[in-house]
Each structure stands twice: as C-alpha cells, then as structure tokens.
Amino acid sequence: MTARAPYRSSSRGIAAVAALLAIGAVGCSEVSDAVDSAKDGAKKVARQRSVFSLDIGDCYNPSGKAEGTAYTVEIVPCEEAHEGQVIGEFAMDEGPEYPGDDGVTTIADGRCPVEAQKYAPDTWALPKGVALFYYTPTKESWATGDRAVSCTYTSEADRFSGTLHTAKSLKPEQKTYLDGSNAVYEALWANQPLKETVDEDLPGYKKQAKAVASALDTHVKGLDGIEGTEAGKLRTTLTKAAGDWDKAASAGDADAFYIAYDSAFTGIDPNKSVATRKELGLATTVPADEAEVWAG
C-alpha cells in the first residue's frame, strides 16, 4: 500500500492568524471573525489524512463529493458532526494484475457488506441517508502495491454524530436475531435473478427461493432460543414463510411459482418484525429503502 502525503500546510494557517492579530487598523469584530475563520481553516488542514492511511473506526468528511477519486479526507472526532465512518477494511489478493475498475467494484460490492454487518449489524439503526461506500485502489496506485479497500458508511446529505460501531454493545439474543435476519435479507437480494420476470428465468427464481428458505430455517432455529411473546409470534410467521419459499423453490412452472411466491414474499415483510425488534430493544423504524420495496 502506498502512503501519500496529505495536502496540508498548518504553518500557513498559523501565520495567517499571527498576521491578522498584528493588524490594528481592522475593527475588533472583523478581526475576531477573521481569526476564528483562520483557526477553523488551520484545524481543518491539520486534520487532513491520506485515504491510504484510513483506519477502521475513523470518522471523516470527504474532501469534495463522496464519490470520485480522492486522496485526502478530514479526520474528525466521532462526537462531531461528520459525513462518514470507516467500518471495515481488507486487502485484495486477486493477483498481480489490476482487476479493472469493474473488477475492483465487484470485489468491494461483495466484501464491504460483510464487513459492514460485523461493525454495525443493525442496519435499521443507521442514520437516515447513510449508505455503503468504499475507497478502492486505482490502476495507478495498484502499480505501486496498493491493495487496500476501506469500507465506509457515508451520507451525501445530512451529517451525523457518534460512532456506528454497535456490534460490541449487542446482547446475545440481539446478535442472534440480527444474524438470522440479515442472512435472510442477504439471501433474497444476493440471489436476485437478472431477468425481471419468472417466465424469463424460472430456474433463477427457484434458486433464489431455495436460498431464502434455507436462511429462514436457520433464522427460525435462532428464534427458538429467544424468549418473548413477540419472538414466538414471529417464529410462527417465519416458519410458514419458509414453507412457502420451499414451495416456490420446487414449483413445476411459473404459475405455481407465482402462487407460492406471493405468500412467501409477504411473509418476510419487515413490518412483521417490528414488534419483535421492540421486544428485543432494537431499532424499530423500517428503513426507507426496505419500506419502498414492500410498498411497491
């Protein structure tokens, strides 16, 4: 991994403050405002760090837009308002040749969600507008030995405060629930066929149904060890849903698949898990992207 020096010059900022203090002809309020502005600028410059030296847990503000080529970011205390936090990292081991921009993106798309769940398992608890981003090697940095990928949760709209690291504070039953729930969600979307209709790719949709049914079986077994009235109700609901996904997976034709799929998909509507989440002390607001999927 190459280490690039950040574009900073704290001495210039400090010199600007000293020069302003020496100017007696300027009004006090104007001097005060200028000094404050210079101090803020100097602090921001001093916080600049190369994207090649980011660490897990770092909270930061991008130097520019969230997407695009970047060399530095502003590292800030997580208690301050910020746009992003590094939630995982890994090194690519795909060989000496650069995988290409699409190849790098595919690798990051597959690995970063896994890293994100390790760091912040409850996606419902994420601040509104936060999405998964990542810093990846470029063709140029790859040639110098750079293989590092930094996975981040970043907001392109409002800033947020505090760390997103919630994994360490989860109770055993909360972790069990989230592991099962996240696995079902992953099975559904990671196996989504490219074709839009079942008629165009029945085998692909049956494969997806089989993966979801398997994930649901595991989730239900996890719920067996969780006490609570709502957890029991959800266990019953998901047991039926698993059966419906099994029927879809073994459907003989598209019509049979659609009949089973309608009930199966409704059975895992995230709104059905709100009461259980409340009982477990987890976030209960369905994320906008999930709500839109089921509303559609």
Side-chain angles (χ1 to χ4, degrees), residues 174-186:
Q174 292 175 322
K175 184 179 185 305
T176 297
Y177 171 83
L178 291 172
D179 285 346
S181 177
N182 289 339
V184 173
Y185 187 88
E186 178 66 17

Side-chain angles (χ1 to χ4, degrees), residues 223-247:
L223 288 171
D224 284 340
I226 297 177
E227 297 182 356
T229 302
E230 297 302 332
K233 291 179 181 178
L234 181 62
R235 186 165 56 248
T236 299
T237 298
L238 296 184
T239 297
K240 180 182 181 306
D244 290 333
W245 282 102
D246 272 328
K247 289 178 182 178

Side-chain angles (χ1 to χ4, degrees), residues 11-288:
S11 61
R12 289 172 57 188
I14 295 172
V17 175
L20 286 167
L21 291 173
I23 300 175
V26 181
C28 292
S29 62
E30 294 179 9
V31 170
S32 178
D33 290 343
V35 169
D36 289 342
S37 178
K39 286 182 177 178
D40 290 341
K43 181 170 68 174
K44 185 172 183 178
V45 169
R47 288 174 167 179
Q48 294 296 303
R49 186 191 296 177
S50 166
V51 294
F52 295 91
S53 62
L54 287 171
D55 295 321
I56 296 176
D58 281 345
C59 293
Y60 70 94
N61 292 314
S63 299
K65 294 183 178 180
E67 289 188 84
T69 303
Y71 297 97
T72 63
V73 294
E74 178 195 7
I75 299 297
V76 303
C78 291
E79 292 72 24
E80 290 187 17
H82 53 276
E83 293 181 37
Q85 182 173 15
V86 181
I87 49 81
E89 61 184 12
F90 64 92
M92 293 186 175
D93 56 1
E94 276 62 37
E97 298 298 323
Y98 180 63
D101 293 345
D102 289 342
V104 167
T105 297
T106 298
I107 294 167
D109 279 342
R111 289 286 300 276
C112 279
V114 176
E115 299 302 320
Q117 286 192 6
K118 293 178 186 177
Y119 197 83
D122 191 359
T123 56
W124 290 28
L126 294 174
K128 183 179 179 180
V130 166
L132 197 57
F133 283 77
Y134 35 77
Y135 288 105
T136 61
T138 63
K139 184 177 182 180
E140 292 73 22
S141 70
W142 186 277
T144 67
D146 177 29
R147 299 291 186 273
V149 175
S150 295
C151 309
T152 79
Y153 268 129
T154 302
S155 174
E156 291 187 284
D158 298 330
R159 295 186 176 189
F160 58 94
S161 299
T163 180
L164 301 177
H165 193 189
T166 56
K168 60 184 178 182
S169 63
L170 291 174
K171 298 176 182 178
E173 62 271 22
Q174 292 175 322
K175 184 179 185 305
T176 297
Y177 171 83
L178 291 172
D179 285 346
S181 177
N182 289 339
V184 173
Y185 187 88
E186 178 66 17
L188 179 66
W189 301 116
N191 294 281
Q192 182 68 25
L194 296 178
K195 301 295 185 179
E196 292 187 4
T197 67
V198 176
D199 301 87
E200 295 176 290
D201 186 14
L202 178 59
Y205 279 90
K206 289 175 64 174
K207 179 182 177 182
Q208 179 195 42
K210 183 177 180 180
V212 175
S214 177
L216 277 170
D217 285 339
T218 301
H219 190 20
V220 169
K221 289 178 182 177
L223 288 171
D224 284 340
I226 297 177
E227 297 182 356
T229 302
E230 297 302 332
K233 291 179 181 178
L234 181 62
R235 186 165 56 248
T236 299
T237 298
L238 296 184
T239 297
K240 180 182 181 306
D244 290 333
W245 282 102
D246 272 328
K247 289 178 182 178
S250 60
D253 54 42
D255 288 339
F257 181 92
Y258 277 121
I259 293 173
Y261 182 78
D262 184 54
S263 178
F265 194 66
T266 301
I268 60 171
D269 182 335
N271 288 286
K272 295 181 182 294
S273 66
V274 170
T276 301
R277 281 176 156 272
K278 183 177 181 180
E279 187 174 67
L280 290 172
L282 295 168
T284 57
T285 300
V286 181

